[in-house]
Amino acid sequence: MVTFLLQYPQIPLLFLGCMAVVIFLAARSFKITNVSMALLTALSFLLVFFYIIFEGQLLQMANHSFNGFDNNLASLFSSNAFYKYEPGAILISLITFCLAFLVSIYCAEYLNLDRRQHAFYPLFLLMICGLAGMLFSANLMVLYLFCELMSICAYALVAFRRRTDTAIEAGFKYLMMGSVASVVILLGITLLFMSYGSINIADMQGSTSWPAQIGTLFFFAGFCLKSALVPLHTWLPDAHGRAPSSISAILSGILVQGVFYVMLKITLSLGFDHILLGTILLCLSLLNIVVGNLLGLVQNHTKRLLGYSTIAQMGYIVLCMAIGLRNNLLLALQSGFFIIIAHAVAKSLAFLSKGVFHYYVDASKIKHLQRASSLPIFPSVAFGVAIISLSALPPFPGFTGKFFALTSFFTSTDKITVLSALVLLAGSLVAFGYYFPLLLILFSKPHKQAPDENKKSKQKKISPWMSMPIATLVILIIFISIAPQYLMDITIEAAQFLMGMMR
């Protein structure tokens, strides 16, 4: 059984694809309810989550290399030319499936007012399947196909509320820029194939020919656009700001970060010098920190502000990875993975809480957040916890991740690294300038309302389908705040895997 599972690592991807078809056909043929579709989708992600945990345990056994049986495991893990399980991909995929599970439950209520629910859940399953396929791909063409699957579904989900002009505009902009990135990536793969005569990543090593070098640069540039690295970031605030909050939670929480990790891993595999790559990423990360935080100060739409926050947070993540690559610092790479996880939980919580405000009191702009006073205090507190974590106030995970990052930066004698640490600190201070007003407006005393409105507002209750995922994310943030070292220990193998790819 173990041998079968390792020889066919595509099983979870096939399962998600099949479930997308099953849910679509069941919705169209048997008219199953939104709750049923949401629960089937959540169950699919839960089963794949545990499958990946099992695969991760087998990989850990293989890495320990004892008893001969583990040598067979190691050979099985490396024998598949199209898929490869490795610690970083397993870590990010587990975060993805966990968030997707919570979002699916959330949608059991959140999508009740929407039409075409039969299309939403299959697209959602296929988008997550595409991201997971990218993470585990060991073949450039397989990676490209999964990238297109993920991207096409993401375009459609951003524009899901097609009766809203702004959603259509955001989806179209995302489609145009994403399509350019796809063409550039495909051109890069073509040049790499010309140079190596193969599209298996394991075969692409050591060439100094111009097609290989230019192909690697094209591949890098295309994924920089899909990762929203400045100046190729302009699609993100529109797409994440206009998508349904449940989709924005995934797009901002983990999808962009997962795409960046794929780019980083594949670029290193193609032989890109890690010091040069680290230097390029360092410059891009500083731009992300500056642009994301400064433009966040002038936003009046809550979700658009959170989109610019994602651009800035990507800057912190990329900066940690860049410093780790430039200076061979394991702690910096660990800090990058830590911030990925901390940001995924906090940003998903922020978007899901914002979805509650929009669903019940139509609060879309920052000034409308006062309307949340007509709701129970819980979603407001949850949104506040998310914002505090994103603003890096102690002892929340956002602060802990940056503390670990700064600790690693100041162990280096590189002046550029120290300067980058100062930019990180300055960016965090600027970010507090747009996070704090959110909390101030959210918890400030609203204007007096007419008695009948007050009476009506007291009758509003939050659906358990929406409350449970939000409560789970709050608990996760509290747990990470209490035991951050546990999370750092989880990131060690992923960081060591990237360190091993440097040459």
Side-chain angles (χ1 to χ4, degrees):
M1 181 63 177
V2 171
T3 303
F4 174 80
L5 291 176
L6 291 178
Q7 284 180 331
Y8 299 97
Q10 64 271 33
I11 288 175
L13 306 178
L14 289 173
F15 176 72
L16 290 178
C18 291
M19 285 305 298
V21 175
V22 167
I23 291 174
F24 179 80
L25 293 177
R28 297 294 287 179
S29 303
F30 302 106
K31 307 297 181 182
I32 62 174
T33 63
N34 176 54
V35 172
S36 300
M37 287 186 278
L39 291 179
L40 282 173
T41 305
L43 179 62
S44 303
F45 289 128
L46 187 63
L47 292 175
V48 174
F49 176 83
F50 285 113
Y51 181 95
I52 298 298
I53 287 179
F54 175 68
E55 292 282 15
Q57 290 174 341
L58 292 179
L59 177 60
Q60 207 168 30
M61 291 169 59
N63 287 338
H64 282 99
S65 298
F66 58 86
N67 289 337
F69 172 68
D70 298 316
N71 292 329
N72 294 332
L73 281 177
S75 65
L76 283 172
F77 271 109
S78 60
S79 63
N80 196 297
F82 299 106
Y83 304 95
K84 180 181 179 181
Y85 283 95
E86 44 86 6
I90 289 174
L91 178 64
I92 294 178
S93 66
L94 287 176
I95 302 166
T96 303
F97 293 131
C98 179
L99 292 180
F101 168 75
L102 295 175
V103 166
S104 300
I105 294 175
Y106 179 90
C107 287
E109 173 66 27
Y110 183 69
L111 285 186
N112 273 342
L113 302 182
D114 287 284
R115 299 179 181 179
R116 300 182 304 121
Q117 297 149 343
H118 64 277
F120 178 91
Y121 293 102
L123 286 171
F124 186 44
L125 280 160
L126 292 175
M127 183 181 75
I128 300 301
C129 176
L131 177 58
M134 290 176 63
L135 289 168
F136 295 123
S137 292
N139 178 289
L140 287 183
M141 188 51 64
V142 171
L143 186 150
Y144 177 78
L145 293 174
F146 275 116
C147 180
E148 285 303 284
L149 175 65
M150 178 201 73
S151 299
I152 291 170
C153 294
Y155 305 150
L157 288 170
V158 165
F160 181 72
R161 288 171 175 160
R162 59 186 180 181
R163 299 182 185 277
T164 306
D165 292 340
T166 51
I168 294 296
E169 180 185 354
F172 182 75
K173 186 175 183 179
Y174 190 12
L175 169 64
M176 290 296 100
M177 297 193 70
S179 298
V180 171
S182 297
V183 170
V184 173
I185 292 169
L186 186 58
L187 181 57
I189 293 173
T190 303
L191 292 171
L192 288 166
F193 177 74
M194 287 174 56
S195 178
Y196 294 103
S198 173
I199 52 177
N200 289 331
I201 297 170
D203 300 330
M204 297 182 176
Q205 297 177 4
S207 177
T208 57
S209 63
W210 69 264
Q213 294 178 350
I214 296 177
T216 303
L217 287 175
F218 279 175
F219 187 90
F220 175 78
F223 272 95
C224 281
L225 197 158
K226 287 186 177 290
S227 302
L229 299 185
V230 175
L232 306 174
H233 68 289
T234 53
W235 60 268
L236 189 145
D238 291 319
H240 295 196
R242 295 301 179 183
S245 293
S246 53
I247 296 302
S248 299
I250 294 292
L251 296 179
S252 270
I254 195 60
L255 188 139
V256 175
Q257 293 77 10
V259 170
F260 168 73
Y261 173 75
V262 171
M263 180 267 285
L264 184 63
K265 177 179 68 173
I266 302 302
T267 306
L268 287 172
S269 298
L270 295 175
F272 205 113
D273 180 69
H274 67 91
I275 297 177
L276 176 59
L277 178 61
T279 303
I280 295 172
L281 290 177
L282 188 147
C283 297
L284 294 175
S285 68
L286 297 181
L287 287 174
N288 268 60
I289 292 171
V290 173
V291 171
N293 285 320
L294 290 180
L295 291 181
L297 290 171
V298 297
Q299 302 305 313
N300 57 17
H301 192 283
T302 311
K303 286 176 64 178
R304 190 174 175 84
L305 183 149
L306 292 174
Y308 278 108
S309 167
T310 298
I311 293 173
Q313 294 288 334
M314 276 299 297
Y316 304 135
I317 293 166
V318 176
L319 181 60
C320 291
M321 299 299 187
I323 298 300
L325 294 176
R326 275 175 54 88
N327 302 290
N328 291 319
L329 292 175
L330 182 66
L331 182 58
L333 295 175
Q334 280 186 266
S335 302
F337 282 109
F338 186 100
I339 296 175
I340 286 175
I341 299 172
H343 172 261
V345 177
K347 187 57 65 70
S348 298
L349 177 59
F351 272 113
L352 295 186
S353 301
K354 170 62 182 64
V356 171
F357 302 150
H358 185 265
Y359 184 82
Y360 286 99
V361 294
D362 195 28
S364 56
K365 294 187 176 181
I366 294 174
K367 64 182 180 181
H368 297 157
L369 290 178
Q370 280 190 335
R371 297 176 185 173
S373 61
S374 63
L375 298 174
I377 190 66
F378 170 69
S380 298
V381 171
F383 188 75
V385 168
I387 294 301
I388 291 172
S389 181
L390 291 171
S391 61
L393 290 179
F396 288 90
F399 168 80
T400 309
K402 290 180 182 178
F403 175 80
F404 285 134
L406 291 171
T407 301
S408 66
F409 292 177
F410 285 119
T411 60
S412 173
T413 57
D414 183 12
K415 293 181 180 179
I416 296 178
T417 300
V418 176
L419 179 62
S420 301
L422 297 178
V423 174
L424 187 152
L425 287 171
S428 299
L429 290 174
V430 173
F432 194 70
Y434 59 80
Y435 286 130
F436 181 71
L438 283 177
L439 299 176
L440 193 64
I441 293 174
L442 184 64
F443 292 102
S444 61
K445 189 175 181 180
H447 297 295
K448 290 184 178 180
Q449 297 176 320
D452 58 331
E453 292 183 62
N454 279 325
K455 184 177 180 180
K456 184 180 178 180
S457 66
K458 291 179 182 179
Q459 297 174 351
K460 293 181 179 177
K461 294 181 180 179
I462 308 299
S463 167
W465 295 114
M466 301 176 82
S467 299
M468 189 180 74
I470 291 173
T472 303
L473 292 171
V474 170
I475 292 170
L476 283 174
I477 288 180
I478 294 172
F479 174 76
I480 298 171
S481 302
I482 295 172
Q485 191 57 47
Y486 176 79
L487 196 59
M488 284 295 283
D489 293 339
I490 291 176
T491 65
I492 288 177
E493 290 188 1
Q496 289 174 338
F497 174 77
L498 283 183
M499 286 280 287
M501 299 181 72
M502 298 180 192
R503 55 178 181 270

